[in-house]
């Protein structure tokens, strides 16, 4: 297998992904002219094999996850992508075939999301494949949608469907405890959930709707239950959410019918990369319309309430649900 | 040993380092108002235990290296730091004592270099400690000092002294082949070289001098010989450098006197984090004065020549030196 030097990797595989500000990846740094009258929105996420993905996931899925988890943060802030920097820690056994597939997938996403590569670093790791991406976005001055801000009376929305990726991870793990429902799941549902785990969909289409109407927003990366608690705690408010109001995909419904205990996985599992937003009640119709026009369905899941305390999820009988973990924590 | 959750690590150890744009590290992203009329300079470097540092290096040295290698890139571009994002991949055996020392050192550097923390990510790694930092700087519009641009007749300069860190790494490794000179090195020289490896000194004081006078610049991270070749190749020029003109610290001179073969290590070892610059001949006096006034001595090491080809280093007898490796490459 042919091996490229560090400089050749950069020149042959990554320089073609570079935007103007990336200077062909041939300088010490990128040089970006910030768009006039805009604020810069900056986010970094690191993903590492065995924790955030499986080392034998397809290289295009690893590339997609590395970039898209960052783009999801930009989407939640109503920011349009400007570009990204890539730090790539490669274990000793990398192959050219793998690296070409990884770079090609990253290039497709960079083009699809208008988010060119601006710079980065490629290093040898004495450990698992590890990727850190910093993404930059822009919002009109002072218009970033913050995470704090939810007020009593606001309507809470989530984009897309919840829990698919957490179920997809269960499929991928294939633990004996899950063998029952996994064995009876349709092939279509299996493929859908697996893809939702592998390929997050950053909801950048929501930027305009969020900027126009959301009082607060965040992306749901560590589970709806925990992330909702995080958002509401910042302004000392809470909410009650009926599980029946949480939008589920047909595949997730199928899994849930086979194993009702998956409700907890759906609410507290991670990797949704959907948007959670608090929208003033009087804006809710306009918000829903603008989101739908952008091709992204938003579902109202509850109302913000003035008192404090963690949000309560209620099952179909109206009983508070006991959730396994409030939110994913690395430690 | 007490363990903090991911959220507690961020709130207790890293939020105190956050600048205004970091929003207390309590949002999905940072929000930076870019300085008016300035370009943004962006750079990312990843360092990982066993490759860029030793896992048992002092935590303050690891923190210093992680941030300063990025600040060195900003310095080479004549950019003033605006802030940084930190991705921290922690192996399972981290301790609170270690993490507190790491965060405290990072905070001291953030303050000393006026480069606050803006955001980041803390994750569990199934491998060695790995840190990726993205640093942002600012230069007046269109005034970033590029890496390409050296012209025939320009004078080549390096800041500080060359080769100290590469010798410091030899000391740290303590290989049998080096036992002779290491054993006879003075304690002062040993400590100086070891510190030069552990604590890079980003030459941010040079920003004004570089911006005013340098046609091209880069930071020397992978060895003077290789990095000089990289810079000159970009404009199809070359240079001859007399080894006697390369600035050496008293400690490096002491080592070299004990083992003359270290000349190759000095020229092609890495981790100098000094600045290499090409300055038009008519600007050289003003450049030297401005750098000296900023507390940073620049040494002229040669003249850019119109022909192509790799630069040649000549020993005291005038003979071309054979260098072990042109430049450090991870692969």
């Amino acid at each position: 297998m042919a091996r490229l030097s560090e400089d050749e990797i950069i020149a042959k595989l990554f320089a073609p992904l570079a935007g103007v500000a990336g200077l062909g990846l041939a300088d010490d740094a990128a040089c970006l002219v910030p768009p006039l009258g805009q604020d810069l929105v900056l986010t970094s996420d690191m993903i590492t094999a065995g924790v955030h993905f499986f080392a034998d996931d397809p290289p295009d899925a690893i590339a997609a996850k590395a970039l898209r988890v960052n783009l999801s943060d930009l989407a939640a802030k109503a920011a349009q992508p400007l570009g990204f920097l890539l730090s790539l820690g490669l274990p000793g056994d990398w192959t050219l075939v793998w690296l070409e597939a990884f770079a090609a997938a990253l290039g497709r996403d960079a083009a699809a999301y208008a988010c060119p590569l601006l710079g980065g670093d490629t290093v040898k790791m004495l450990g698992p494949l590890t990727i850190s991406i910093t993404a930059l976005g822009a919002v009109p001055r002072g218009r970033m949608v913050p995470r704090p801000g939810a007020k009593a009376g606001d309507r809470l929305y989530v984009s897309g469907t919840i829990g698919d990726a957490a179920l997809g991870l269960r499929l991928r793990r294939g633990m004996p405890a899950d063998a029952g429902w996994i064995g009876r799941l349709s092939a279509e549902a299996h493929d859908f959930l697996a893809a939702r785990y592998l390929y997050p969909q950053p909801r950048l289409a929501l930027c305009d709707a969020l900027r126009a109407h959301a009082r607060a927003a965040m992306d749901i990366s560590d589970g709806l239950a925990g992330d909702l608690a995080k958002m509401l705690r910042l302004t000392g408010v809470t909410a009650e959410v009926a599980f029946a109001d949480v939008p589920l995909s047909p595949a997730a419904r199928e899994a849930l019918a086979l194993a009702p205990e998956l409700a907890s996985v759906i609410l507290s599992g991670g990797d949704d990369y959907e948007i959670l937003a608090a929208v003033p009640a009087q804006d809710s119709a306009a918000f829903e319309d603008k989101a739908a026009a952008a091709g992204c369905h938003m579902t109202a899941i509850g109302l913000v309430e003035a008192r404090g305390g963690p949000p309560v999820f209620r099952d179909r009988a109206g009983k508070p649900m006991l959730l396994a973990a409030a939110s994913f924590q690395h430690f």
Side-chain angles (χ1 to χ4, degrees), chain A:
Chain A
M1 177 62 65
R3 294 285 273 190
L4 299 180
S5 72
E6 183 183 346
D7 289 343
E8 287 169 335
I9 290 172
I10 294 166
K12 293 193 182 169
L13 300 183
F14 292 120
L17 282 54
V20 174
L23 305 173
L25 308 187
D27 211 311
D28 300 59
C31 186
L32 181 76
V33 180
L36 200 65
Q38 309 247 316
D39 289 338
L40 286 169
V41 178
L42 302 156
T43 183
S44 285
D45 276 306
M46 178 181 262
I47 67 171
T48 177
V51 177
H52 302 88
F53 60 90
F54 295 84
D56 59 350
D57 280 344
D60 70 317
I62 297 171
K65 186 167 285 191
L67 181 57
R68 295 180 188 181
V69 298
N70 283 285
L71 296 178
S72 179
D73 285 317
L74 295 186
K77 306 292 97 182
Q80 291 293 346
L82 290 174
F84 71 102
L85 292 98
L86 166 73
S87 286
L88 178 62
L90 285 173
D93 62 351
W94 66 273
T95 66
L96 184 57
V97 167
W98 187 93
L99 203 56
E100 284 175 337
F102 176 84
L106 205 56
R108 287 193 297 273
D109 266 14
Y113 296 108
C115 188
L117 182 60
L118 301 182
D121 196 16
T122 304
V123 305
K124 182 177 67 180
M125 290 266 312
L126 305 179
L129 175 67
T130 299
I131 306 159
S132 176
I133 283 183
T134 298
L136 287 84
V139 289
R141 177 70 28 87
R143 300 298 302 279
M144 188 183 98
V145 177
R147 186 187 288 186
K151 277 191 187 170
D154 286 353
R155 194 157 287 177
L156 292 166
Y157 284 94
V158 294
S159 63
T161 54
I162 298 298
D164 299 322
L167 296 174
L169 175 57
R170 289 292 180 112
L171 295 178
R172 184 70 164 83
R173 281 197 182 137
M175 305 286 272
D178 290 317
W181 67 270
I182 291 177
R184 285 176 291 154
L185 199 67
S186 71
E188 293 77 6
H190 190 290
D191 291 352
F192 175 84
L193 297 173
R196 287 279 280 163
Y197 171 70
L198 288 175
Y199 301 94
Q201 300 295 328
R203 301 301 185 189
L204 288 161
L206 286 175
C207 280
D208 289 345
L210 288 169
R211 196 181 305 142
H213 301 296
R215 188 122 60 190
M218 68 186 293
D219 82 325
I220 307 169
S221 53
D222 296 334
L224 173 60
D227 285 344
L228 177 60
K230 271 187 202 174
M231 188 170 96
L232 297 180
R233 192 166 54 217
L234 291 167
T235 43
V237 292
T238 191
E240 298 222 341
V241 176
F243 183 67
D245 291 337
V246 174
L248 302 184
S249 66
R253 289 183 188 282
E254 189 184 318
L256 193 63
L258 293 168
E261 70 276 14
L262 292 174
S264 165
V265 173
I266 287 169
L267 291 178
S268 48
D271 292 330
D272 288 306
Y273 299 105
E274 297 291 353
I275 302 295
L276 169 66
V279 175
Q282 70 272 18
D283 282 35
S284 56
F287 175 68
E288 289 177 28
D289 289 351
K290 204 167 282 186
C296 195
H297 183 73
M298 300 299 300
T299 302
I301 58 166
L303 290 174
V304 178
E305 298 176 23
R307 62 203 166 73
V312 174
F313 287 80
R314 294 194 181 273
D315 65 18
R316 281 162 213 278
K319 286 208 320 200
M321 297 167 70
L322 278 175
L323 300 177
S327 178
F328 178 79
Q329 293 265 329
H330 276 280
F331 309 107

